[in-house]
Amino acid sequence: MHHATILFDLDGTLTDPREGITRSIQHALAQLGIDEPDLVRLEPFIGPPLLQAFMEFYGFDEARAWEAVTHYRERFKTVGLYENLLFDGVLEMLEHLRGQGRTLYVATSKPSVFAREIARHFAFDHHFRMIYGSELDGTRTNKVELIAHLVAEERLEPAQTLMIGDRKHDLIGAHRNGLQAVAVGYGFGSHDELMAESPAYYYATLPALRAAFG
């Protein structure tokens, strides 16, 4: 993988946000009168845009989904954001890639304000030229739009740019913008979900991903 520029998804690719996201979803549902004691059932919320996920998984209309997002953020911005773990080996991998002269970006559907605070708190922000996320009003939660915006803003050459992610949204966003995509199997997307989008590369573990960069 010779690419000079690499875009990384955040949740499920660099960090394991399982506890913070699922507990914040649980909180949001409770505020709307829905009791969901099983956090595992809420893991499909990790990765896709939140507004659409509430509409898809709970049948909310857009207004009620925005209510849920508001309640989610109440908890996430003060507590859930920090209920997060860097995957073992991420810092070493990022340092290695920068040592090779590559330029790194984060491309996440998570609002930029949250993504930047996570990167700062867990001390990996300095590895990235810029962290790109969505806006709080929902702008650029779609990975196709987000990656298009990033590529345009940074004047990147798609043929020299690689997108790495753990969900189909990352792969679709890459392909629609002319980028090759790497699927990783240690996050939250199933093998079937990822293979259906025909990634250029697939690595089941983070050590395998790291090794692929030489």
Side-chain angles (χ1 to χ4, degrees), residues 1-189:
M1 295 189 290
H2 62 281
H3 305 76
T5 306
I6 304 176
L7 316 184
F8 282 92
D9 174 47
L10 179 59
D11 294 340
T13 302
L14 297 174
T15 71
D16 181 351
R18 188 187 321 255
E19 181 179 359
I21 290 179
T22 57
R23 289 193 180 279
S24 298
I25 295 293
Q26 184 184 55
H27 167 80
L29 293 173
Q31 300 306 302
L32 297 175
I34 299 171
D35 179 37
E36 180 48 79
D38 185 2
L39 293 177
V40 174
R41 290 189 60 187
L42 301 178
E43 289 183 8
F45 277 90
I46 304 172
L50 203 53
L51 183 74
Q52 286 74 21
F54 276 117
M55 295 170 74
E56 178 182 351
F57 302 141
Y58 280 86
F60 292 170
D61 62 22
E62 187 171 346
R64 190 160 173 80
W66 271 118
E67 283 186 63
V69 169
T70 299
H71 290 307
Y72 169 90
R73 290 174 177 169
E74 289 167 356
R75 184 186 188 280
F76 187 79
K77 68 183 180 181
T78 57
V79 180
L81 190 149
Y82 305 106
E83 294 172 326
N84 205 338
L85 296 169
L86 268 177
F87 287 117
D88 287 342
V90 161
L91 293 179
E92 292 80 3
M93 178 180 66
L94 297 177
E95 187 170 343
H96 174 71
L97 292 172
R98 287 181 66 218
Q100 292 180 324
R102 305 185 200 237
T103 304
L104 311 181
Y105 296 88
V106 170
T108 175
S109 293
K110 186 184 295 301
S112 296
V113 63
F114 297 152
R116 290 171 183 160
E117 173 58 14
I118 289 168
R120 183 207 65 79
H121 180 77
F122 291 97
F124 61 87
D125 53 340
H126 63 286
H127 289 298
F128 294 92
R129 174 168 289 182
M130 188 69 71
I131 294 172
Y132 281 83
S134 64
E135 303 300 325
L136 291 171
D137 66 359
T139 303
R140 290 189 294 277
T141 54
N142 182 294
K143 271 284 171 72
V144 176
E145 296 173 4
L146 176 72
I147 293 174
H149 173 71
L150 193 165
V151 168
E153 286 289 306
E154 300 294 330
R155 299 181 180 179
L156 302 181
E157 173 53 56
Q160 291 295 320
T161 305
L162 193 67
M163 176 70 202
I164 302 176
D166 71 309
R167 298 299 305 270
K168 65 180 181 182
H169 314 83
D170 304 307
L171 312 185
I172 293 169
H175 292 153
R176 297 274 182 86
N177 286 286
L179 280 60
Q180 284 196 319
V182 176
V184 296
Y186 55 83
F188 295 92

